Amino acid sequence: MKLFVSEGNPHCLKVLAALEETGVQCDVQCVNHEEKVVPFLSHPALPALLLPSGQHLFSSDAICRYMFEVSGQESSELCNQWLEWEATDFQPALLQALHMAVLQGKGSEVPKVLQGPLNYLDQRLSKGITPYLTGEVVSVADIVLWAALYPVFSDSSLSLGEHKFVRAWFDRVTGMRSCKSAAQKVLQGKGLQGMKSYMQRQPAPQSSQCRDTHPCNS
Amino acid sequence: MALRELSSLEKYLGLKKPNKYSTQGDKKVPVLQNNNGPPLVGLVTVACHLVKQAQRPELLGDSAENRAVVQQWLEYRVSKLDVCTKEDVKTILKDLNLYLQDKVYLAGNHFTLADALVYNGIHPKIVDLAVQEKEQYVNVTRWFDHIQHYPGVRHHLPPIVVLRNRIYTSRHH
């Protein structure tokens, strides 16, 4: 099994944290952002996992799920729900926020873009009585959401407002050895600037307005 | 649309007792009202729940690898297919066409929930294709035709005619 990652790529933070947390045996190879690892995709997609069967996983969430499952933790329905929310609601907002903060120097507008999803997360966490998103132990949902949030939440120059419950949960997960180590590997202590070369190679995010007025599945 | 899709899935799975649904937000995200616990939100989350309810775990993949592949395509459906622009459609079809070159189903050697949900998501895109384009994405149309004829899958969607024989000379060889 082989995992392909690239430096400064926020999605690689997820899979490296999941890899360290689960202790799954896997070779890791660092490649360029443009490296075409998944043979059937037109655009380079990293991270990617080459499975023992020869199939490729190109979704970081699916890679994390796989690692947790082979280490004995299948994702619960609550986990599924968090992962779906992350992919459909949180990622589009984060992509826009990172684009603004890293490439356009508009860090001051980031709080506006992230307010909705952060409020939702805060509200959900405020109702919980468990230390982690889905229970007493860390699940794939914690790793995926923590890694998604890490680049913007660990940068103190972005005034994201007070999300007391998100902050407490975030700090708890950040304190884990696996997460600390993954953050160091991917961002190398450079914070948002460590993602610049990655972000420059990403297509500009579609405006959220366009997304809302033409939903394909309504 | 998502709710009709879920009700089709319930019928396919042979679930007798209909579930109660609502939608949430501008994007009309489906919500399942769950008697035994908090509501479940999201098309993929609810669809996976229905499969478990019907005790058909094989529809989520028969091995850890295939389960990951199924989840990957389910995510692809809601995070890529459902929000793609007109230009993205071409790339998506091109990629899927290459992926399906040596495959009958999206994950493993059996029909899974990934086939059902990607079929539903790609249906409006295939409707818009000209005959010539359908030939360009020949593996996608072959897979699509197979899934739309898979017993109990199509339900609320109109069938799309797919020509099995090429009428245009192939330009891509």
Side-chain angles (χ1 to χ4, degrees):
Chain A
M1 203 156 67
K2 197 164 185 180
L3 180 65
F4 298 88
V5 295
S6 65
E7 261 176 36
N9 175 337
H11 301 288
C12 293
L13 195 53
K14 293 180 189 171
V15 296
L16 288 175
L19 182 65
E20 298 226 8
E21 185 57 28
T22 58
V24 170
Q25 290 294 313
C26 179
D27 291 335
V28 181
Q29 190 181 341
C30 195
V31 295
N32 288 327
H33 298 303
E34 284 88 2
E35 188 107 354
K36 215 179 140 181
V37 176
V38 184
F40 56 88
L41 293 180
S42 322
H43 299 301
L46 289 167
L49 181 69
L50 175 60
L51 292 164
S53 64
Q55 303 187 85
H56 285 90
L57 291 179
F58 57 85
S59 139
S60 51
D61 292 9
I63 294 173
C64 293
R65 262 179 201 276
Y66 177 73
M67 288 176 175
F68 271 83
E69 190 183 331
V70 292
S71 73
Q73 199 191 103
E74 267 190 67
S75 55
S76 62
E77 297 199 316
L78 191 52
C79 240
N80 287 346
Q81 183 170 309
W82 276 119
L83 292 183
E84 184 172 1
W85 178 78
E86 191 264 346
T88 56
D89 287 62
F90 201 22
Q91 277 301 335
L94 279 169
L95 186 66
Q96 204 182 345
L98 287 176
H99 192 78
M100 285 172 160
V102 179
L103 296 182
Q104 299 178 317
K106 290 188 197 160
S108 57
E109 290 177 35
V110 166
K112 203 171 63 192
V113 176
L114 291 181
Q115 199 173 23
L118 284 178
N119 288 347
Y120 175 76
L121 190 56
D122 205 52
Q123 193 202 345
R124 291 294 304 262
L125 280 163
S126 73
K127 289 180 190 160
I129 42 162
T130 56
Y132 299 102
L133 284 173
T134 59
E136 295 293 335
V137 291
V138 165
S139 72
V140 62
D142 292 292
I143 296 292
V144 164
L145 267 98
W146 167 84
L149 195 53
Y150 183 85
V152 288
F153 230 55
S154 59
D155 189 307
S156 52
S157 72
L158 304 172
S159 332
L160 290 173
E162 197 179 327
H163 298 93
K164 202 169 69 183
F165 297 95
V166 182
R167 183 60 71 182
W169 162 82
F170 179 82
D171 289 343
R172 197 170 302 132
V173 183
T174 306
M176 290 165 43
R177 193 196 47 82
S178 53
C179 291
K180 270 192 200 136
S181 154
Q184 181 58 29
K185 275 184 193 147
V186 175
L187 298 175
Q188 305 188 331
K190 289 184 258 183
L192 285 174
Q193 284 316 305
M195 295 169 44
K196 195 162 184 173
S197 80
Y198 168 78
M199 288 305 296
Q200 281 166 339
R201 286 163 181 83
Q202 300 309 301
Q206 300 167 32
S207 82
S208 55
Q209 203 178 9
C210 148
R211 203 181 121 98
D212 288 339
T213 47
H214 304 288
C216 300
N217 64 332
S218 61
Chain B
M1 190 72 175
L3 293 189
R4 285 177 72 187
E5 189 176 344
L6 287 171
S7 102
S8 290
L9 182 63
E10 284 185 351
K11 285 188 196 121
Y12 168 74
L13 293 168
L15 291 173
K16 296 280 185 310
K17 220 175 73 196
N19 288 293
K20 279 195 207 111
Y21 298 101
S22 57
T23 59
Q24 180 179 295
D26 303 340
K27 288 184 282 169
K28 299 216 181 342
V29 176
V31 180
L32 171 73
Q33 304 303 331
N34 193 347
N35 291 333
N36 310 320
L40 286 175
V41 187
L43 180 67
V44 169
T45 304
V46 174
C48 290
H49 171 80
L50 295 181
V51 168
K52 280 190 189 142
Q53 205 182 354
Q55 298 183 326
R56 299 281 305 278
E58 75 282 4
L59 289 174
L60 297 176
D62 53 10
S63 64
E65 288 197 20
N66 284 336
R67 278 190 283 279
V69 176
V70 167
Q71 289 298 331
Q72 164 164 286
W73 289 111
L74 295 177
E75 180 192 332
Y76 192 84
R77 153 70 202 272
V78 286
S79 68
K80 293 274 191 309
L81 267 177
D82 285 352
V83 292
C84 67
T85 63
K86 272 233 151 44
E87 299 87 80
D88 294 338
V89 174
K90 288 201 173 114
T91 313
I92 286 175
L93 288 170
K94 191 170 159 247
D95 290 359
L96 268 177
N97 198 52
L98 200 53
Y99 179 74
L100 288 165
Q101 201 169 26
D102 56 356
K103 290 180 184 66
V104 178
Y105 301 102
L106 282 173
N109 298 318
H110 303 280
F111 175 85
T112 64
L113 187 62
D115 294 296
L117 260 66
V118 173
Y119 160 75
N120 275 277
I122 212 163
H123 189 279
K125 278 63 172 168
I126 302 281
V127 170
D128 288 344
L129 289 185
V131 176
Q132 199 170 351
E133 285 176 300
K134 283 185 199 159
E135 291 196 349
Q136 197 180 336
Y137 307 115
V138 63
N139 302 318
V140 175
T141 43
R142 170 182 49 77
W143 165 83
F144 183 87
D145 199 38
H146 179 56
I147 303 304
Q148 73 174 352
H149 288 102
Y150 200 85
V153 171
R154 189 170 53 77
H155 275 294
H156 65 285
L157 296 172
I160 296 179
V161 176
V162 173
L163 292 171
R164 299 251 177 191
N165 298 312
R166 286 176 171 249
I167 50 173
Y168 292 92
T169 51
S170 81
R171 304 169 292 141
H172 299 276
H173 287 276

